Amino acid sequence: MSASNEEQIIKQYQPLVRALIPYEQENRLLEGLNKFTGRVPSHVRKIIKDEVIRLTCLTDAPADNSAFAQFPVFKFSHFGVEMRLDKVGATILQKESELYSDRYTVGVFESITSSAFYQEHIRKENHKKIVDAFTVETQSLDDIHFGDDIAISPNFPVSCPEFEKGKNCSVSSLGYKKMALESKRPPKVSTRDIFQFQFPEVPGLPKGMAINYVVSSIKFNKQTEKYETHFKIHPSTQPKIRQILSKYVDMAAYQQPLQRELEAERAMQDLERDRVLEHSPWVPVFLQKDNDGFKPASILFTKLNQAHSGGLPVIQTAMRVQMFPRLIRELCQYKEAFVITGVLETKKKSIPINATLREIESLDLLSPLIHLLNKNESLQCVQCRLEPVRQDDKTKAFAIHDLIKQDYPQLDAYSHIIYCKNVSETMQGLVLTEKRLIPDIPENLIDDLKDYSLSIIMEDELDRRAEARYLLDKEGSVKTGLLSSVAVKILDVSAQGMRLIYLDKPEKVGSEIRVTVPELKVKNQKYKVVNYHAASGEARLCLTSQRETIAAGITQFVQKHYAIFKHRDLSLIQRNTHRFVWELAMRHHPSASILCTTNRYLLNRLKTVYQSVNCDDLYPFSQIQNVVPMHGFFADRDAQKPKSKMLTDMLRGSITTTDVVHCVRKSDKKLVFVPEQEYLFSTTRKVVQKYIDDEQVELCVTKIEVGRCLSATTSMTKKRLAQLSRIDKAMYDKFNVMQSSYTHVIYLTSESVLQTAIMKAALRPVKQRTTSDLKAQG
């Protein structure tokens, strides 16, 4: 065999050669060959064996890499052999010597004098630096589980005649098996002293409960400038008492502050999760169970998600009555669905379309439908993700905000959340690459135009109904003719308006109606119809003009029966409802998100990645313990140092959204990055499409969006810091100041399913011609 062929074989099997070197060092080369070269031809096996033996032979040849080294070059002796190496060469010498059992061999000599090996080492080191620089700490959306370390800071004292002369001592922390008491001076006790403490009568603890504790240590707390005496529960304590104490700690953990360090951790997580939800483009829709399965009941709007989604009409269109059961079935199976809506214009009539992406794909209608809906600019696409609501989360939400479950049965009925995001931009502008006949549209794809009545939940600042409103359940009537009227039920009332429901649910009502409510002394009063929902028969009304008499009469009626109406104040009910659903929504946010803070160095601005346990938005990358490598999304390609033009542009506001595209080869899971512009508009798109059709690659497209933090606080900031302010004022002030350091939230959402369907349908985007292009053409 020629020398060139041998060199080619050695180069091909280089990883195997290096894997066999430790076996040769231990005189087990034959064992290694049998293990790794089972299917290798015998002549190749002999070449590999000879190469391993050659590389492990000792040598005394002096090494010099000054021809390609990064200066300065150092002269030193290694095992009595003269060396002229730079810092990188010395590192290679050390690592290669470890591979060869700390011996200077032919393999070590060739490695440190090879320019190719030198450059490859630098490339790997640079890549490692980039990966480390873009590695971000990750945090789960689930509540921090403190386990047996959990301890609360109750607002009651305990006492013992033998401890501190029977004075009431403040409890700084109370856990399952431990307790700490505060005092201004060090108590005159020693370790292992036993005291029986009397607990006060508080909800959750039996009257006259006394527990024996053993002194474990005495420490001075510099933050509070008080002494803390730490106790452990006595081993002889009855299991029943231990169970009562544990149950009380668990019950009070969300109603009272935790121990200082634990409360700080919890407050930090809550504040950051609030910020993720506050700036999220996802709109949470809360579902309730009914006889037929599920139905949407409420929708939570923030300033940002309302503007991004297009508001209530877009969300209602994606959840029509006829197609909602199909949407639920698909979400239960895949956890994600894309709802496509629009109006198909024909010569005879307009056909409203409402179906999921998978339904349209299964009928092979995706390309013609998208093309036609884009033609008349009616296409809308909403990405939906389903998250179940655990009973444990609802119990926490009730406890955190001091709500009684029986007073809010509709909140306890929430079983799932559908998060919706408007992704119409991804579908708009797509055109056909080949002519297609337009087939008949199946009836199940045609929109029935029937909406569910959704209760809108928003924070006080966004609620336009600033007037005090009160729940009511009174009979009334609406005049329909000279001597005719229809019965209605008054649902709520304010000085200038009311909400009522028609019992017979007419198809439509006039712009103005006359209402009579005998108990409110309202007779034949003219109201303007602000909104009417035909499916539920519900109407919202306001007075047509400033009628002082009517407004004063209603206000007087409310004041007269204030004992009843104070529990029916809708502003209070809606505030409690908003806080409850917020607790659920922030714990189940559907996509990965990165919180950014102020910092001199760009990469240090990426503070924390928040994602759920089952989140796949970072695929093809994955979480490693408690960190996530983000270089695949943000790092500049072929850069020698950690840099990110994309991140710089996002944080400066130059761009707000972009796509990051990767292809995973199915045969060996090799990852290939595809630049966004090449993926969209170049011939690379056809190559990727061919590989997808042949099922050789898996397409991974991640949508990256950035939201700027316009305010230092969120609607829940005061609530989150309230508990901390009770136990640690210094920490409270620190957290308050810290809120202004958050600048942006970056959201990463996988659109791989949608983009793969677009590629299979042979649809392509059209590049928008800029002003510079037109000038160049002219």
Side-chain angles (χ1 to χ4, degrees):
M1 185 178 291
S2 64
S4 60
N5 288 340
E6 286 190 8
E7 288 178 4
Q8 188 175 355
I9 290 172
I10 291 170
K11 186 177 180 180
Q12 180 182 353
Y13 289 95
Q14 187 64 30
L16 177 59
V17 170
R18 291 182 67 84
L20 289 172
I21 286 170
Y23 285 88
E24 169 62 13
Q25 304 290 336
E26 299 172 2
N27 294 320
R28 296 190 299 126
L29 179 58
L30 184 60
E31 178 186 335
L33 286 168
N34 293 334
K35 183 177 181 180
F36 296 118
T37 62
R39 297 183 180 180
V40 175
S42 58
H43 68 282
V44 174
R45 177 185 169 106
K46 184 178 185 304
I47 292 171
I48 293 172
K49 178 183 176 182
D50 293 342
E51 177 66 10
V52 172
I53 294 172
R54 186 186 73 83
L55 291 175
T56 53
C57 290
L58 296 175
T59 183
D60 58 357
D64 185 352
N65 73 345
S66 57
F68 51 82
Q70 296 178 354
F71 292 94
V73 173
F74 302 98
K75 185 177 180 181
F76 61 94
S77 177
H78 179 72
F79 290 122
V81 180
E82 184 179 340
M83 299 284 169
R84 287 176 56 83
L85 305 173
D86 67 343
K87 188 176 181 180
V88 176
T91 303
I92 295 173
L93 173 63
Q94 180 184 353
K95 289 187 175 180
E96 290 297 295
S97 296
E98 290 175 0
L99 177 65
Y100 288 87
S101 302
D102 290 328
R103 297 193 302 167
Y104 184 58
T105 64
V106 174
V108 176
F109 170 77
E110 291 184 355
S111 294
I112 59 180
T113 56
S114 169
S115 175
F117 195 92
Y118 184 93
Q119 297 301 328
E120 180 65 17
H121 175 81
I122 291 177
R123 189 191 67 79
K124 287 181 179 179
E125 288 297 310
N126 288 340
H127 179 72
K128 185 177 182 299
K129 289 177 182 177
I130 291 171
V131 173
D132 292 342
F134 282 92
T135 298
V136 186
E137 182 183 346
T138 184
Q139 177 76 276
S140 173
L141 286 170
D142 294 335
D143 291 331
I144 299 173
H145 182 63
F146 296 107
D148 291 339
D149 293 329
I150 191 169
I152 62 173
S153 295
N155 56 354
F156 60 76
V158 295
S159 62
C160 174
E162 292 82 19
F163 184 81
E164 288 290 276
K165 300 179 181 179
K167 295 179 182 178
N168 286 334
C169 299
S170 298
V171 182
S172 61
S173 68
L174 176 66
Y176 296 152
K177 301 177 182 178
K178 57 186 180 180
M179 180 175 67
L181 302 182
E182 289 182 336
S183 56
K184 292 182 180 180
R185 297 179 180 83
K188 297 179 180 179
V189 297
S190 58
T191 55
R192 298 184 182 179
D193 285 353
I194 301 173
F195 297 95
Q196 186 180 63
F197 287 98
Q198 193 74 27
F199 281 73
E201 187 179 353
V202 294
L205 294 179
K207 184 178 180 181
M209 187 178 79
I211 303 178
N212 290 335
Y213 281 93
V214 182
V215 178
S216 59
S217 63
I218 302 173
K219 298 177 182 178
F220 180 73
N221 191 323
K222 293 181 180 180
Q223 293 177 338
T224 60
E225 296 183 350
K226 290 182 180 180
Y227 288 91
E228 290 185 350
T229 309
H230 294 263
F231 299 87
K232 290 182 180 179
I233 198 166
H234 196 273
S236 63
T237 305
Q238 296 178 5
K240 186 178 180 180
I241 297 295
R242 290 174 182 263
Q243 187 178 359
I244 291 172
L245 187 61
S246 300
K247 189 177 179 180
Y248 174 76
V249 171
D250 290 336
M251 180 189 72
Y254 293 96
Q255 296 174 323
Q256 297 184 23
L258 299 180
Q259 185 181 345
R260 285 182 183 84
E261 297 79 8
L262 305 185
E263 183 61 34
E265 285 186 53
R266 182 168 72 173
M268 175 66 76
Q269 186 193 34
D270 286 345
L271 288 166
E272 292 189 336
R273 290 188 299 187
D274 289 340
R275 198 168 292 278
V276 167
L277 182 60
E278 178 88 8
H279 300 88
S280 173
W282 293 90
V283 179
V285 180
F286 297 86
L287 309 185
Q288 292 178 345
K289 288 185 178 180
D290 65 359
N291 297 331
D292 300 327
F294 300 95
K295 69 172 183 178
S298 304
I299 183 169
L300 175 62
F301 276 130
T302 64
K303 193 179 294 184
L304 263 160
N305 72 20
Q306 189 173 16
H308 187 280
S309 65
L312 184 63
V314 174
I315 305 301
Q316 280 188 318
T317 304
M319 297 187 181
R320 300 288 198 198
V321 173
Q322 180 179 326
M323 76 91 58
F324 189 71
R326 309 200 310 266
L327 174 63
I328 286 293
R329 283 196 296 271
E330 190 168 311
L331 285 171
C332 289
Q333 183 175 356
Y334 300 103
K335 302 299 180 184
E336 181 182 66
F338 293 86
V339 180
I340 296 173
T341 61
V343 179
L344 194 62
E345 300 288 352
T346 64
K347 293 180 179 179
K348 295 182 180 179
K349 60 179 179 178
S350 298
I351 304 173
I353 303 297
N354 193 330
T356 68
L357 175 69
R358 290 185 177 89
E359 288 176 337
I360 299 173
E361 260 194 304
S362 64
L363 298 169
D364 196 23
L365 292 174
L366 188 61
S367 53
L369 268 182
I370 298 303
H371 174 70
L372 293 172
L373 294 178
N374 269 328
K375 201 172 181 181
N376 60 17
E377 298 182 350
S378 66
L379 175 67
Q380 286 184 346
C381 183
V382 176
Q383 185 177 9
C384 301
R385 290 185 175 179
L386 182 69
E387 295 289 340
V389 176
R390 300 184 294 269
Q391 186 61 43
D392 183 44
D393 291 334
K394 290 188 282 187
T395 303
K396 290 176 186 176
F398 279 122
I400 290 170
H401 299 290
D402 295 324
L403 303 179
I404 301 173
K405 187 184 296 186
Q406 288 73 17
D407 292 345
Y408 297 89
Q410 75 281 5
L411 301 183
D412 195 40
Y414 291 151
S415 60
H416 291 77
I417 306 174
I418 295 181
Y419 289 87
C420 303
K421 185 162 80 79
N422 194 336
V423 292
S424 303
E425 286 186 4
T426 304
M427 304 289 284
Q428 289 167 356
L430 296 175
V431 297
L432 293 170
T433 55
E434 55 188 22
K435 289 185 177 181
R436 291 285 305 271
L437 295 174
I438 303 174
D440 294 333
I441 305 299
E443 287 188 10
N444 65 321
L445 301 190
I446 299 175
D447 196 348
D448 65 343
L449 302 178
K450 292 182 180 179
D451 296 328
Y452 285 99
S453 177
L454 291 175
S455 172
I456 300 174
I457 303 170
M458 58 183 72
E459 59 183 286
D460 293 340
E461 292 181 7
L462 295 180
D463 197 342
R464 298 183 299 273
R465 298 163 294 181
E467 216 172 40
R469 296 177 300 125
Y470 301 93
L471 286 175
L472 202 65
D473 188 9
K474 300 294 183 184
E475 301 297 329
S477 62
V478 172
K479 191 173 182 180
T480 56
L482 184 61
L483 298 173
S484 60
S485 62
V486 294
V488 296
K489 182 179 287 187
I490 312 302
L491 301 179
D492 70 55
V493 66
S494 66
Q496 299 291 334
M498 65 173 61
R499 183 167 60 100
L500 56 81
I501 187 169
Y502 284 85
L503 300 183
D504 58 351
K505 298 180 183 177
E507 287 295 325
K508 57 182 180 179
V509 297
S511 59
E512 292 182 351
I513 59 175
R514 290 187 177 273
V515 181
T516 298
V517 187
E519 291 198 39
L520 296 179
K521 297 182 180 180
V522 174
K523 185 176 181 182
N524 210 22
Q525 178 59 47
K526 186 187 288 187
Y527 278 86
K528 180 183 176 181
V529 178
V530 178
N531 176 264
Y532 176 68
H533 190 265
S536 63
E538 186 176 307
R540 298 181 183 274
L541 315 175
C542 70
L543 285 171
T544 55
S545 60
Q546 294 291 335
R547 297 296 301 272
E548 299 292 339
T549 308
I550 299 297
I554 293 175
T555 304
Q556 186 179 1
F557 178 82
V558 171
Q559 290 176 349
K560 186 178 179 181
H561 302 87
Y562 186 70
I564 298 173
F565 280 104
K566 71 177 181 180
H567 300 295
R568 299 185 177 186
D569 186 349
L570 274 176
S571 61
L572 176 62
I573 294 172
Q574 288 183 342
R575 190 179 302 116
N576 290 337
T577 301
H578 174 265
R579 290 181 172 183
F580 179 90
V581 299
W582 187 279
E583 291 292 336
L584 301 184
M586 71 147 185
R587 284 174 166 80
H588 298 88
H589 189 267
S591 64
S593 50
I594 309 173
L595 285 164
C596 302
T597 57
T598 53
N599 200 291
R600 282 184 61 191
Y601 302 102
L602 176 68
L603 300 185
N604 289 344
R605 296 187 66 177
L606 302 177
K607 182 181 181 292
T608 311
V609 176
Y610 274 88
Q611 60 175 343
S612 61
V613 177
N614 300 319
C615 180
D616 294 327
D617 289 314
L618 300 182
Y619 183 80
F621 303 94
S622 59
Q623 179 177 333
I624 305 169
Q625 293 180 348
N626 65 331
V627 295
V628 176
M630 305 302 295
H631 64 283
F633 299 107
F634 296 109
D636 290 346
R637 307 295 154 182
D638 302 323
Q640 299 298 316
K641 295 181 179 180
K643 293 181 181 179
S644 177
K645 184 179 183 302
M646 179 204 299
L647 194 57
T648 303
D649 291 342
M650 279 192 160
L651 298 182
R652 285 178 179 173
S654 303
I655 58 173
T656 57
T657 179
T658 187
D659 290 333
V660 177
V661 186
H662 293 91
C663 288
V664 180
R665 197 159 61 192
K666 293 185 177 180
S667 58
D668 57 0
K669 299 298 181 183
K670 184 179 180 180
L671 190 64
V672 179
F673 169 75
V674 183
E676 182 184 10
Q677 294 301 310
E678 290 186 18
Y679 167 75
L680 293 175
F681 306 115
S682 75
T683 54
T684 305
R685 187 177 181 88
K686 292 183 179 179
V687 176
V688 173
Q689 181 184 338
K690 182 180 181 300
Y691 284 138
I692 290 174
D693 292 339
D694 296 341
E695 297 186 353
Q696 294 182 16
V697 299
E698 179 183 0
L699 182 65
C700 302
V701 181
T702 305
K703 174 75 73 176
I704 301 180
E705 300 164 283
V706 63
R708 187 179 183 86
C709 299
L710 301 176
S711 173
T713 61
T714 68
S715 59
M716 300 290 285
T717 301
K718 287 184 179 179
K719 173 65 180 176
R720 302 304 184 197
L721 294 176
Q723 301 282 34
L724 192 61
S725 66
R726 290 170 51 187
I727 58 171
D728 197 332
K729 188 66 169 62
M731 187 68 73
Y732 166 80
D733 293 336
K734 182 180 177 182
F735 274 36
N736 240 336
V737 174
M738 191 191 301
Q739 297 313 299
S740 60
S741 66
Y742 292 93
T743 60
H744 298 78
V745 186
I746 299 174
Y747 299 91
L748 295 90
T749 308
S750 173
E751 290 187 359
S752 304
V753 173
L754 180 61
Q755 293 284 0
T756 302
I758 291 171
M759 294 290 275
K760 288 182 177 179
L763 292 164
R764 63 176 180 84
V766 178
K767 191 172 185 178
Q768 298 295 325
R769 301 177 71 183
T770 61
T771 307
S772 58
D773 293 336
L774 293 173
K775 287 181 180 179
Q777 187 176 358

